[in-house]
Every structure is written in structure tokens, then in C-alpha cells.
């Protein structure tokens, strides 16, 4: 592939980013500005031009889904040999390789979760702790470790933390220490230990450090605003004083501070790396001017906030496209209670669907999971299919597992026939049909899952073999790269990050929900502001805002006020002169 063709189609700033192949590079990329396009083309351009050996490049991100997307895009751009992994996957791979050499034997088993061991820690200490409290203690374990604190150091700061459940500060510290003791006794490590042990091994063992640094020379870190002190420490060890690192992020999308994320690493990158190339991506290609303007108003004056510019508005100004009315975001609607709000949203969605909209192009976003119940009921009453993001994962569904196994087995023996026929024959034997079943419930849910697999056939290049298709399915399964279901998405604001829809409904925009009731300090309120910004910028064409005047809290009805952020997002009132 001609390297220069990889730069075709990039805008001016994306091209600057793609051509900055060496030395420290910081890409400040606002929502919808094509950051993934910029970094994948940058990597592919480096490989095609000979600046990078593909096996010496490591692209790092934070979720399996994002890593799978990076790998897929790099493969399409001719850079399939580049490693694209989460921090944890990269560290675990290195531990599995070096542990037998350095320590001997097999790496200790990695816990699936912390709950069971924490429960045993509570039992050993004679404490009665419920499941919700165990989850909150697990979060404290994670925060302590990613913040680089020992248990003793955590004990010195625990007075500033929110103590889970009815535990005292001393009991919490004892639980954390007992949890570590139990893991050691059982020869187990947890998710954060993977990073800690990998960092320790590189730091202590010169031979390990030399091999790791010889293997990987060029680093790209996506979503850099989410990096924790522990992840930054590991990145520094991987680099070993070298300067070929490119970081990409948006301080306005820092929404995981509670879990240890530090946007300072992004904001201070230029100071920490003198001479760094800094590129700003501010041309928003996702949203209408009205959505972009609302997002800008919400973040105006915030540290590190980028000012987004609507590509659609710019194209209209230059005559590149026909000028359209920029449109406005409808004024926020208020409702008597959560149930009325959910019904109103469901009715608007039903009207969109009747007008030809696709359900997969619509999302309802909310602050906390408990808000989903009323919405599910309202959508169900109108017969609207929906999926709750963050519930059971697609590739973990029994019908999906069965379908993949059946497809794989059939692909071994099938002859030369069209891919559609091969796949549809197998899925029909499992209950799929071209027309959806009339009923709702488990039968319809199963059909939706099989139909999503069938829909992947249309995304494959012409001439794709049955075997190649099942290879792609297995790759997606390993990376939890889920296909799109034909259903309205319900999701928390946190789980919506990185996604986008034509039409987005932001519900429950009242004080106590957005910002959440326990956000008291300026920093906590600002995190809630950034969370709402993430929600707003998920919308491509339509954005609806709503709140309810009363709600249930602790079993009692309470009066609510509209979120303070709604007034800030409102367009300025024109002044008559």
C-alpha cells in the first residue's frame, strides 16, 4: 500500500497527527472528532512508510471492545501485526511469559472477582457485611491499588474516603489487609495485581526490562484521560526513558476519577515531555450544530475543555453542502413523576419508529441503573424492543454460544456456496427465520440474537468464505466485540462512553441524579458535568432532555428540582435592539 494514500481523507489536523510519527505526541481530541481514525491511520502510515516495524508497536486502551475495534481497523489498513490491547491484557501476557523464567512454576490464578474473597475476609474478622457493601469495599481495594498506595498508606487517608455500609474506618482497613492475606495464602492475584506484579518484575529484573523494551519501541495510548497512577507507572517502565509515545484523550470526558483516573497526565503531558508535538482535534463530525453548541456551553471555562466546531456547519458556510437549518435542541420537558417521564419518552420513540427510524439508532441514557425499570416497562407496554447495555453480554448468551459452535462445525465441511446461504441454513436449524416472531419474551430475544449474527454477513467483504466468517466471529467473541441488535439501547451515562446514536434521550436530569446527590465538592460536581457532556455528545441528530418533578427516595416521595446544568446548556436569549 502506498503510504500517502493512508493520509487521504484525513482533515488538516488529523493529518498533522498522523504524520507525527516520532517523539512524544499528544492528541487532544474532542468528542466526535475522529480520534480513532487519526490514531489508526497514524499507526498504519508509520508501518507502511517503514518508520515502524509492526511487531514493535503497542496500542493501549481500556476496554476489550475498544481494543478489538483498534485491531479491526488496523487490519483493514494493512497493519495487522500491531498489538492492540488493554493495559491488563498486555501486562498479563508479559507475566505469563516471564513468570516461569523469573519465579518458576505457573503464574498464580487471577481472580474473576473480589466478592468471594472479601466475603471470606469479613467472616475471618467476624463482620456481617451485605453484598452491596462488599461491592463498595472491592471498589476501595481497586482505588487503593491503582492509586499506588499500600494498605498502610491507605489507612492514613481513609478518613477522607466514604466508608462502605456500616463499617468503621478501622474495620475497612482490616478487611483490605485480610483480603491480601487470603490471596497470598491461596496463591491468587486480582486484576490490579496483574499491573502491580508486571511493573515490579520490570523494575526489579533488568533482563525482563531489556526484553520488554526490545520487543516494544513505539506506544500509543488511547483515552489517556482515564489513565491511573499505576497504569502511568507501567507505561513509564515499558518506555524505559524513551520518548516515542503518542497519547490521545479529552479532559472533558474524564468520568472515572472515582476509580483512580487522573486527567492531569493528559493536561500536563507537554510539561512532562518538553518539545512534544501537540495536536488539537476540534472539528466534530458526529453531531448537529445544536448538539455541539449545547456541549460547548456546558463545558465553557472548564480546565482542558476543547471548543468543538461543527463540521456540518462549516460545510454549509463554505457551500460544500446545501445550507440547512441548524436546528435547536427541544426545551427540556418536565413530568409529574418517573413513570410519566418514561411513558412520554416511549411515546416519542414509538413516533420515531413509525416515521422510519431504526431502533438501534436510538438510546435512552440515565445516571443510575434503578432508573431503567420504569423505562423498560414503558417500552414493553408499546411493544418496542430494547436492550440494556451492561446486562448479560452478547457473546455470553447461551443461544449465541450454541450458534457459534454450530457455525464453526459446519464451516469445516461446507462446499462452495454463497455465505448468506451457508450461515442462514445453520441459523434456521437453531430457530432463526427471516421474519421476526410476533410474540415478545424469550422467543423474540433469541431471534434477535441470531438475527444479529445473520446481520454480520452483510458487513463482510464480497467473496468472504464461510470459514473466514467463523474466524471473524471467534475474534469478535474473544474481544467481546458485539454486533448491533435491532433494539433501542438503555444505558447509564458511564456505559455509553465511546458510543453514538442518531437519537438520544437523556432522562432524569434533576438535582440528586445529575449531579448525583453524593457529589458535594467542586471536583465531584465537575465530574458530573463531564458525565452529562459525554451523554450529550453521544447524539448525532436528535437530543431530548427531560426530568420528573417527584420521585421515590428511601420508599418516600420527594420533590425534585431541575438539574443546574440545564440552565447552563440553554441557548442565549436574543436581545432586541
Amino acid at each position: 500500500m502506498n503510504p500517502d494514500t493512508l493520509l487521504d481523507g484525513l482533515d488538516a489536523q488529523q493529518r498533522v497527527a498522523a504524520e507525527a510519527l516520532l517523539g512524544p505526541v499528544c492528541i487532544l481530541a474532542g468528542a466526535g472528532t475522529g480520534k480513532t481514525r487519526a490514531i489508526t491511520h497514524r499507526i498504519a502510515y508509520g508501518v507502511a512508510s517503514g518508520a515502524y516495524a509492526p511487531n514493535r508497536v503497542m496500542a493501549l486502551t481500556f476496554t476489550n471492545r475498544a481494543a478489538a475495534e483498534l485491531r479491526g481497523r488496523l487490519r483493514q489498513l494493512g497493519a495487522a501485526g500491531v498489538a492492540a490491547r488493554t493495559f491488563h491484557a498486555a501486562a498479563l501476557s508479559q507475566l505469563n511469559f516471564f513468570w516461569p523464567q523469573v519465579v518458576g512454576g505457573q503464574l498464580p490464578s487471577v481472580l474473576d472477582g473480589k466478592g468471594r474473597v472479601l466475603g471470606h475476609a469479613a467472616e475471618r474478622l467476624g463482620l456481617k457485611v451485605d453484598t452491596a457493601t462488599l461491592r463498595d469495599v472491592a471498589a476501595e481495594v481497586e482505588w487503593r491499588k491503582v492509586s499506588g498506595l499500600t494498605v498502610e498508606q491507605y489507612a492514613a487517608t481513609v478518613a477522607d474516603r466514604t466508608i462502605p455500609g456500616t463499617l468503621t474506618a478501622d474495620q475497612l482497613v482490616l478487611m483490605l489487609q485480610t483480603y491480601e492475606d487470603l490471596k497470598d495464602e491461596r496463591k491468587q492475584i486480582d486484576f490490579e495485581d496483574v499491573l502491580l506484579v508486571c511493573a515490579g518484575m520490570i523494575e526489579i529484573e533488568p533482563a525482563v526490562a531489556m526484553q520488554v523494551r526490545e520487543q516494544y519501541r513505539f506506544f500509543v495510548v488511547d483515552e489517556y484521560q482515564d489513565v491511573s497512577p499505576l497504569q502511568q507507572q507501567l507505561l513509564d517502565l515499558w518506555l524505559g526513558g524513551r520518548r516515542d509515545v503518542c497519547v490521545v484523550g479529552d479532559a472533558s470526558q474524564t468520568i472515572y476519577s472515582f476509580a483512580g483516573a487522573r486527567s492531569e497526565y493528559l493536561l500536563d503531558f507537554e510539561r512532562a515531555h518538553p518539545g512534544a508535538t501537540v495536536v488539537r482535534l476540534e472539528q466534530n463530525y458526529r453531531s448537529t450544530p445544536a448538539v455541539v453548541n449545547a456541549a460547548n456551553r456546558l463545558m465553557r471555562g472548564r480546565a482542558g475543555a476543547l471548543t468543538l466546531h461543527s463540521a456540518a456547519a462549516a460545510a454549509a458556510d463554505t457551500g460544500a453542502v446545501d445550507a440547512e437549518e441548524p436546528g435547536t435542541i427541544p426545551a427540556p420537558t418536565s413530568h409529574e413523576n418517573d413513570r410519566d417521564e418514561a411513558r412520554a419518552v416511549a411515546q416519542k420513540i414509538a413516533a420515531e419508529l413509525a416515521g422510519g427510524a431504526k431502533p438501534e439508532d436510538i438510546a435512552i441514557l440515565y445516571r443510575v441503573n434503578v432508573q431503567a425499570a420504569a423505562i423498560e416497562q414503558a417500552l414493553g407496554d408499546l411493544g418496542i424492543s430494547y436492550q440494556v447495555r451492561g446486562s448479560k453480554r452478547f457473546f455470553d448468551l447461551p443461544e449465541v454460544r450454541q450458534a457459534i459452535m454450530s457455525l464453526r462445525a459446519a464451516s469445516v465441511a461446507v462446499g462452495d456456496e454463497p455465505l448468506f446461504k451457508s450461515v442462514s441454513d445453520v441459523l434456521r436449524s437453531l430457530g432463526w427465520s427471516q421474519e421476526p416472531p410476533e410474540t415478545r419474551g424469550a422467543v423474540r430475544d433469541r431471534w434477535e440474537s441470531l438475527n444479529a449474527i445473520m446481520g454480520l454477513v452483510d458487513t463482510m467483504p464480497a467473496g468472504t468464505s464461510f470459514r473466514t466468517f467463523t474466524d471473524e466471529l471467534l475474534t469478535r467473541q474473544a474481544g467481546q466485540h458485539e454486533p448491533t441488535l435491532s433494539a433501542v439501547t438503555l444505558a447509564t451515562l458511564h456505559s455509553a462512553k465511546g458510543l453514538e446514536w442518531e437519537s438520544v434521550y437523556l432522562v432524569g436530569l434533576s438535582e440528586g441524579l445529575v449531579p448525583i446527590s453524593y457529589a458535594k465538592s467542586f471536583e465531584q460536581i465537575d465530574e458530573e458535568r463531564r458525565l452529562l457532556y459525554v451523554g450529550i455528545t453521544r447524539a448525532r441528530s436528535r437530543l431530548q432532555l427531560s426530568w420528573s418533578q417527584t420521585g421515590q427516595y428511601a420508599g418516600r416521595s420527594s420533590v425534585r428540582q431541575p438539574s443546574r446544568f440545564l440552565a447552563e446548556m440553554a441557548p442565549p436569549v436574543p436581545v432586541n435592539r
Side-chain angles (χ1 to χ4, degrees):
M1 179 181 290
N2 182 349
D4 290 337
T5 62
L6 290 164
L7 303 179
D8 294 343
L10 300 182
D11 69 29
Q13 289 305 101
Q14 290 171 346
R15 186 170 182 129
V16 170
E19 291 180 318
L21 297 177
L22 302 176
V25 178
C26 178
I27 304 173
L28 301 171
T33 58
K35 71 175 179 66
T36 305
R37 178 179 176 80
I39 60 174
T40 51
H41 280 71
R42 178 183 181 274
I43 294 169
Y45 179 68
V47 170
S49 65
Y52 303 157
N55 63 336
R56 301 200 71 195
V57 182
M58 173 73 81
L60 295 158
T61 188
F62 290 84
T63 67
N64 289 326
R65 182 184 179 278
E69 182 180 358
L70 283 176
R71 286 193 296 271
R73 292 209 195 185
L74 289 169
R75 189 166 59 245
Q76 292 173 352
L77 294 171
V82 171
R85 297 172 177 165
T86 65
F87 273 89
H88 285 88
L92 185 58
S93 175
Q94 291 176 14
L95 277 185
N96 279 318
F97 180 79
F98 288 112
W99 187 275
Q101 302 174 29
V102 176
V103 182
Q106 293 297 308
L107 180 71
S109 62
V110 181
L111 291 172
D112 290 333
K114 299 177 177 66
R116 184 183 297 274
V117 179
L118 281 170
H120 293 161
E123 289 174 10
R124 179 174 286 190
L125 294 169
L127 300 173
K128 291 187 176 180
V129 182
D130 60 23
T131 302
T133 300
L134 285 177
R135 284 199 299 268
D136 288 343
V137 174
E140 289 300 291
V141 172
E142 292 160 10
W143 182 86
R144 174 186 75 77
K145 293 186 177 186
V146 302
S147 300
L149 302 178
T150 64
V151 174
E152 292 75 18
Q153 290 169 330
Y154 176 86
T157 66
V158 70
D160 298 325
R161 303 291 297 169
T162 300
I163 309 299
T166 58
L167 294 173
T168 66
D170 288 342
Q171 288 172 336
L172 175 58
V173 172
L174 279 173
M175 272 195 73
L176 266 58
Q177 184 58 62
T178 306
Y179 167 79
E180 297 301 326
D181 294 341
L182 284 170
K183 284 198 298 93
D184 290 344
E185 291 170 16
R186 298 171 182 181
K187 293 183 171 54
Q188 295 173 317
I189 58 176
D190 62 25
F191 210 46
E192 291 68 42
D193 290 333
V194 170
L195 301 185
L196 282 165
V197 177
C198 185
M201 194 173 285
I202 296 172
E203 204 163 24
I204 294 169
E205 298 290 338
V208 172
M210 183 179 70
Q211 282 185 259
V212 168
R213 291 166 190 163
E214 177 63 27
Q215 173 68 63
Y216 296 111
R217 179 73 174 81
F218 306 97
F219 290 83
V220 178
V221 187
D222 193 14
E223 303 287 3
Y224 191 59
Q225 77 279 349
D226 289 337
V227 78
S228 70
L230 175 55
Q231 288 162 332
Q232 182 62 49
Q233 178 194 3
L234 186 55
L235 177 62
D236 290 339
L237 287 166
W238 280 334
L239 282 164
R242 297 169 300 179
R243 289 165 53 84
D244 288 314
V245 58
C246 171
V247 302
V248 191
D250 178 9
S252 294
Q253 296 188 66
T254 307
I255 58 173
Y256 292 107
S257 295
F258 65 91
R262 303 277 181 88
S263 61
E264 304 93 88
Y265 294 118
L266 175 67
L267 296 175
D268 295 340
F269 186 86
E270 193 173 3
R271 189 179 303 116
H273 299 81
T277 300
V278 179
V279 185
R280 285 175 169 78
L281 304 184
E282 297 178 306
Q283 189 86 316
N284 179 284
Y285 295 95
R286 176 186 298 156
S287 306
T288 62
V291 173
V292 168
N293 291 337
N296 284 336
R297 286 192 292 270
L298 182 65
M299 297 307 297
R300 183 178 292 124
R302 271 27 221 189
L306 299 167
T307 301
L308 299 177
H309 306 286
S310 167
D317 288 344
T318 61
V321 298
D322 293 335
E324 296 180 356
E325 288 295 322
T328 58
I329 296 172
T333 57
S334 66
H335 305 271
E336 181 66 27
N337 52 48
D338 294 339
R339 187 168 52 195
D340 286 350
E341 182 182 14
R343 286 172 177 165
V345 168
Q347 287 165 359
K348 288 178 182 177
I349 290 174
E352 282 200 59
L353 297 176
K358 297 178 181 178
E360 60 266 31
D361 287 337
I362 302 172
I364 306 172
L365 308 181
Y366 39 83
R367 179 61 178 86
V368 291
N369 283 310
V370 71
Q371 293 173 266
I375 299 166
E376 290 185 57
Q377 180 67 52
L379 293 174
D381 288 346
L382 295 181
I384 298 172
S385 295
Y386 62 86
Q387 60 169 334
V388 181
R389 184 165 181 81
S391 56
K392 194 157 188 180
R393 296 190 294 190
F394 179 81
F395 285 106
D396 291 337
L397 296 170
E399 61 267 29
V400 173
R401 287 179 173 275
Q402 181 187 18
I404 291 175
M405 286 191 295
S406 298
L407 287 165
R408 189 61 167 179
S411 71
V412 175
V414 75
D416 186 16
E417 60 184 21
L419 180 61
F420 179 89
K421 183 178 187 311
S422 299
V423 177
S424 62
D425 284 349
V426 174
L427 295 185
R428 285 179 199 280
S429 72
L430 299 175
W432 178 79
S433 59
Q434 284 191 290
E435 294 300 321
E438 296 287 338
T439 58
R440 289 192 52 76
V443 172
R444 177 61 181 257
D445 291 343
R446 179 183 176 84
W447 181 89
E448 294 281 7
S449 298
L450 297 178
N451 194 55
I453 296 175
M454 196 66 233
L456 290 175
V457 172
D458 294 332
T459 70
M460 304 300 291
T464 299
S465 69
F466 193 8
R467 181 71 177 204
T468 301
F469 176 76
T470 60
D471 287 343
E472 173 67 15
L473 274 181
L474 292 171
T475 300
R476 281 174 168 266
Q477 185 179 41
Q480 288 294 334
H481 185 194
E482 302 179 352
T484 301
L485 295 176
S486 184
V488 173
T489 298
L490 276 58
T492 64
L493 289 165
H494 280 101
S495 64
K497 188 167 180 286
L499 304 174
E500 59 185 78
W501 297 270
E502 285 296 329
S503 184
V504 169
Y505 292 79
L506 289 172
V507 301
L509 299 182
S510 61
E511 291 289 307
L513 284 173
V514 183
I516 199 73
S517 58
Y518 51 76
K520 303 295 185 185
S521 68
F522 175 84
E523 292 77 13
Q524 290 170 331
I525 296 293
D526 241 25
E527 181 114 338
E528 295 291 303
R529 176 191 301 277
R530 294 191 295 269
L531 192 56
L532 180 56
Y533 172 85
V534 166
I536 292 167
T537 55
R538 299 312 93 197
R540 290 196 288 259
S541 302
R542 297 176 295 281
L543 180 66
Q544 304 270 343
L545 313 172
S546 62
W547 63 286
S548 59
Q549 299 164 17
T550 61
Q552 292 293 316
Y553 182 76
R556 291 178 295 180
S557 181
S558 60
V559 177
R560 293 173 176 162
Q561 297 298 320
S563 168
R564 68 194 73 180
F565 300 137
L566 291 176
E568 296 181 35
M569 290 166 54
V573 177
V575 177
N576 294 322
R577 300 191 180 209

